[in-house]
Amino acid sequence: MDGDRITTLSTPVMVVDVDVVKRNAERMRGHWTKLGVTLRPHMKTHKTLECGDIMTGGSRSCIVVSTLAEAGFYADHGYDDILYAYSVPFDKVERCALLAERLSLFQVLLDHRDALEQLRKRPLTDGRVWHVWLKLDCDNGRAGVLHSEPEALRLAQAISESEGVELTGVYAHCGNTYGCRGAEQIHAVARETTTLVLQFMEKLKAVGISCKSSIGSTPSCSQPISDMAKLSEVHPGNYVFFDVQQSVIGSCGLEDVAVRVLSRVIGHSPHRNQLLLDCGWSALSLDGAGKLPTGYAVIEGHPDLRLLSMTQEHGRVEPLSGQLDYSRYPLGTLLTIIPYHACATAMMHSVYYVHSGGRLVGMWTPTRGW
Amino acid sequence: MDGDRITTLSTPVMVVDVDVVKRNAERMRGHWTKLGVTLRPHMKTHKTLECGDIMTGGSRSCIVVSTLAEAGFYADHGYDDILYAYSVPFDKVERCALLAERLSLFQVLLDHRDALEQLRKRPLTDGRVWHVWLKLDCDNGRAGVLHSEPEALRLAQAISESEGVELTGVYAHCGNTYGCRGAEQIHAVARETTTLVLQFMEKLKAVGISCKSSIGSTPSCSQPISDMAKLSEVHPGNYVFFDVQQSVIGSCGLEDVAVRVLSRVIGHSPHRNQLLLDCGWSALSLDGAGKLPTGYAVIEGHPDLRLLSMTQEHGRVEPLSGQLDYSRYPLGTLLTIIPYHACATAMMHSVYYVHSGGRLVGMWTPTRGW
């Protein structure tokens, strides 16, 4: 199959442009090398070995994951220095412990005293310690203890004072950049989160604690501000694929989006002025809620079309205005869909077809589960 | 693991109550045995062998599928009389032909003259003919040629007159029942679709064509009307699992829903009056758009909670009113989520854990892809 044109693939199918992936990875590495900050790429968007290798420059080291299944998958393939950046779930402490005892560096994250207690109840063998990041909510609206709560500092102290546990760092995710439109707004959120994290680091220093700091989100890391040079690490992930959402936010241009869903016209519905595609939510996801001017996605090369709605295996397409000219879209016509949210679209596929310049060069198989 | 309580499972996880599945399957069989209509169950919701066996009463015959991957999967496991109820995609004609030449009965569907032409260009071997259903849109808003268009009758005639092709039946899907609330509205849509299909059958008869007729959708088939006895077949699918959506429509009660996503509390966000769950859209899907009074799902036994929003791996839960009492939901608390749309939730899981009375009895592995 290698060397075949992607247009010969059976649809729907997710394709990845490996050249764009590499360019995105290099650009992100460039930003952080220049600022002297460690880039710890997040694997959650693609969950594949091959893309992890591109993001880590082949080092197979220093990554973030969102599920313990990912952690195990990467560990099984020789990755190390893995941060499981998810409030350590009580039903998974034992599996975390086994990874921590097996890798040279496996790091966990928490935002609650009860989670610390769970770790303390499961001391690691061979004199190892739990490497723990404290998740801080810097008005980002996701997980974490609120930066301004006295409990944040007290919890950091409790971690650093616990036997068998080490406070490795403070971790924030500026998920509120997802509401931004344009670089200026992204910079404002990045600046606010960075400032709050650095202020918290000062508070820690005042009580004699020093550790790392990390912030993430593809928007803030794609449009870095100079203050971020004071952080130890950053942890973006989506940037390797990008998507329409990121282009709307201002993290990238549409030309930086590495993924597409290829789809074919399988129906004409002149009584509704619609085309039917073989791409439903089972191939694209419902992410974005259809709120783009072009609906649930962008149909490449057809700015006049809107992906109006989807059922499990069908997409309904209508013109932005006027009557569809069906002669332009005979049954079988290939349409290329740029996903709204690459993480969500990738989750719908058991395999990604990888190409360079439209010619297949391989297949990537993501890990799944938790 | 068999015999273990499902509450010991690592979360998030999708569990299926096999007793409810069997009851749902039996009830549906009961309706149609009584009406003397063939039940051709749809596999798209679960895509597993085990559930197919329950729905077909072990006959491994007479099913509908939504993807060719499902068709191949069931054929590989000894199923026959498979209807691929999807406007035959031009890139899959050869794979369809191979299945048609291999099974004793493989049926396809179309709604356009160009699709018929594709079948004619690939005659089947050994004197076999293409068994073709004509998809009719009876104001249902999905695929199909509009029942009132002269082209509908002309296309039926073209199919029945084509060499190597047989018009097997007329197929409609009353997907517009999904907008119904209550049995009365469901009956109205079912009656309208049934009437339109039967009127079309009369038109066919007038030109000397006789073939089968089939309508589907879980709402209409769960609340059948007497006129449906005049149809040859029905093809519902979701009924074996049901979900919150079906209970809102009026197809079932919540007690008939066979699937749950088990989830655990992994965070407290008192500054936002929220709990965080380990169930994001990667475990539940975004289907339903959060429009239920309780948001994206129903949290069993907690009618006072709303699943407000989800990210990839987190669910945010808030009280319908007032302040959360966090002492009721310590970290690690198991919450049981009744999905809005079982088809969409099932798609997010590579394995379903099956139980009877809360004790594990097995695992079902769905097929994926197209």
Side-chain angles (χ1 to χ4, degrees), chain B residues 270-291:
Chain B
H271 50 294
R272 293 197 306 271
N273 197 29
Q274 291 173 1
L275 294 173
L276 286 182
L277 302 187
D278 65 2
C279 175
W281 50 251
S282 69
L284 190 66
S285 96
L286 290 163
D287 210 309
K291 287 184 187 155

Side-chain angles (χ1 to χ4, degrees), chain B residues 39-325:
Chain B
L39 171 64
R40 178 183 293 277
H42 209 306
M43 301 291 120
K44 81 177 191 83
T45 299
H46 56 88
K47 307 188 186 214
T48 67
L49 200 59
E50 296 85 351
C51 196
D53 285 353
I54 294 173
M55 292 172 95
T56 61
S59 72
R60 297 201 168 186
S61 182
C62 195
I63 61 169
V64 199
V65 297
S66 66
T67 68
L68 201 50
E70 289 166 57
F73 171 78
Y74 285 103
D76 288 347
H77 288 91
Y79 277 68
D80 210 321
D81 187 358
I82 298 175
L83 166 51
Y84 175 36
Y86 193 73
S87 304
V88 62
F90 292 8
D91 59 320
K92 297 183 185 69
V93 171
E94 183 56 29
R95 282 167 64 201
C96 286
L98 295 175
L99 272 171
E101 288 166 354
R102 175 180 152 201
L103 297 179
S104 61
L105 187 54
F106 178 71
Q107 308 173 55
V108 297
L109 176 148
L110 58 79
D111 62 4
H112 196 286
R113 206 165 276 266
D114 292 353
L116 174 60
E117 194 47 38
Q118 292 282 321
L119 299 184
R120 292 181 47 153
K121 275 164 52 186
R122 174 55 173 90
L124 300 179
T125 57
D126 293 332
R128 286 172 181 253
V129 298
W130 285 102
H131 297 277
V132 176
W133 290 74
L134 173 67
K135 177 76 183 267
L136 209 58
D137 183 347
C138 295
D139 303 323
N140 313 117
R142 300 208 179 183
V145 57
L146 192 64
H147 65 96
S148 54
E149 283 291 325
E151 174 61 11
L153 186 62
R154 286 199 296 258
L155 182 53
Q157 287 178 293
I159 296 169
S160 68
E161 289 161 8
S162 291
E163 203 176 336
V165 180
E166 171 204 278
L167 179 65
T168 307
V170 172
Y171 189 100
H173 176 76
C174 22
N176 47 335
T177 48
Y178 281 74
C180 295
R181 294 294 174 270
E184 204 171 315
Q185 291 184 20
I186 296 173
H187 291 162
V189 173
R191 187 168 298 114
E192 189 190 1
T193 303
T194 305
T195 302
L196 291 173
V197 167
L198 294 174
Q199 283 174 356
F200 191 77
M201 302 311 288
E202 287 301 314
K203 284 193 219 170
L204 286 179
K205 207 170 154 188
V207 296
I209 298 174
S210 85
C211 65
K212 294 182 181 175
S213 56
S214 181
I215 79 168
S217 97
T218 281
S220 55
C221 294
S222 301
Q223 300 282 358
I225 53 161
S226 54
D227 268 6
M228 289 168 82
K230 298 173 190 160
L231 300 164
S232 320
E233 298 190 354
V234 289
H235 53 258
N238 173 285
Y239 70 89
V240 76
F241 281 176
F242 281 132
D243 49 34
V244 173
Q245 179 175 216
Q246 294 290 347
S247 80
V248 170
I249 293 169
S251 314
C252 67
L254 268 187
E255 68 280 6
D256 300 315
V257 182
V259 293
R260 300 287 187 277
V261 174
L262 302 185
S263 174
R264 285 188 173 87
V265 175
I266 55 155
H268 290 169
S269 306
H271 50 294
R272 293 197 306 271
N273 197 29
Q274 291 173 1
L275 294 173
L276 286 182
L277 302 187
D278 65 2
C279 175
W281 50 251
S282 69
L284 190 66
S285 96
L286 290 163
D287 210 309
K291 287 184 187 155
L292 293 170
T294 55
Y296 281 88
V298 167
I299 303 180
E300 196 166 34
H302 297 274
D304 51 326
L305 295 181
R306 176 190 292 124
L307 180 55
L308 174 70
S309 65
M310 286 175 284
T311 58
Q312 190 161 352
E313 299 295 345
H314 291 90
R316 292 188 190 94
V317 170
E318 64 175 12
L320 291 192
S321 65
Q323 288 298 305
L324 260 180
D325 174 3

Side-chain angles (χ1 to χ4, degrees), chain A residues 9-13 44-45 47 66-67 70 85-92 95 111-112 114-115 135 137 140-146 149 264 266-269 271-272 274 276-283 285-289 311-314 316 330-332 341 343-345 347-350 368-370, chain B residues 9-13 44-45 47 66-67 70 85-92 95 111-112 114-115 135 137 140-146 149 264 266-269 271-272 274 276-283 285-289 311-314 316 330-332 341 343-345 347-350 368-370:
Chain A
L9 289 169
S10 180
T11 50
V13 67
K44 81 177 190 85
T45 299
K47 306 187 187 217
S66 66
T67 67
E70 289 166 57
Y86 194 72
S87 304
V88 62
F90 291 9
D91 58 320
K92 297 184 185 70
R95 282 167 63 200
D111 63 3
H112 197 287
D114 292 353
K135 178 75 183 267
D137 182 348
N140 313 117
R142 299 208 179 183
V145 56
L146 192 64
E149 283 291 323
R264 285 190 173 86
I266 55 155
H268 290 170
S269 306
H271 50 295
R272 294 197 306 271
Q274 290 172 2
L276 285 182
L277 301 187
D278 66 1
C279 176
W281 52 251
S282 69
S285 96
L286 290 164
D287 210 310
T311 57
Q312 189 161 352
E313 299 295 345
H314 291 90
R316 293 188 190 92
L331 296 201
H341 188 181
C343 309
T345 297
M347 273 298 295
M348 308 313 291
H349 294 264
S350 324
R368 291 285 176 252
W370 291 274
Chain B
L9 289 169
S10 180
T11 51
V13 67
K44 81 177 191 83
T45 299
K47 307 188 186 214
S66 66
T67 68
E70 289 166 57
Y86 193 73
S87 304
V88 62
F90 292 8
D91 59 320
K92 297 183 185 69
R95 282 167 64 201
D111 62 4
H112 196 286
D114 292 353
K135 177 76 183 267
D137 183 347
N140 313 117
R142 300 208 179 183
V145 57
L146 192 64
E149 283 291 325
R264 285 188 173 87
I266 55 155
H268 290 169
S269 306
H271 50 294
R272 293 197 306 271
Q274 291 173 1
L276 286 182
L277 302 187
D278 65 2
C279 175
W281 50 251
S282 69
S285 96
L286 290 163
D287 210 309
T311 58
Q312 190 161 352
E313 299 295 345
H314 291 90
R316 292 188 190 94
L331 296 199
H341 189 182
C343 309
T345 297
M347 273 297 296
M348 308 312 289
H349 294 265
S350 324
R368 292 284 176 253
W370 291 275

Side-chain angles (χ1 to χ4, degrees), chain A residues 290-311:
Chain A
K291 287 183 185 156
L292 293 170
T294 53
Y296 281 89
V298 167
I299 302 179
E300 197 165 34
H302 297 275
D304 51 326
L305 295 181
R306 176 191 290 124
L307 180 54
L308 174 71
S309 65
M310 286 176 283
T311 57

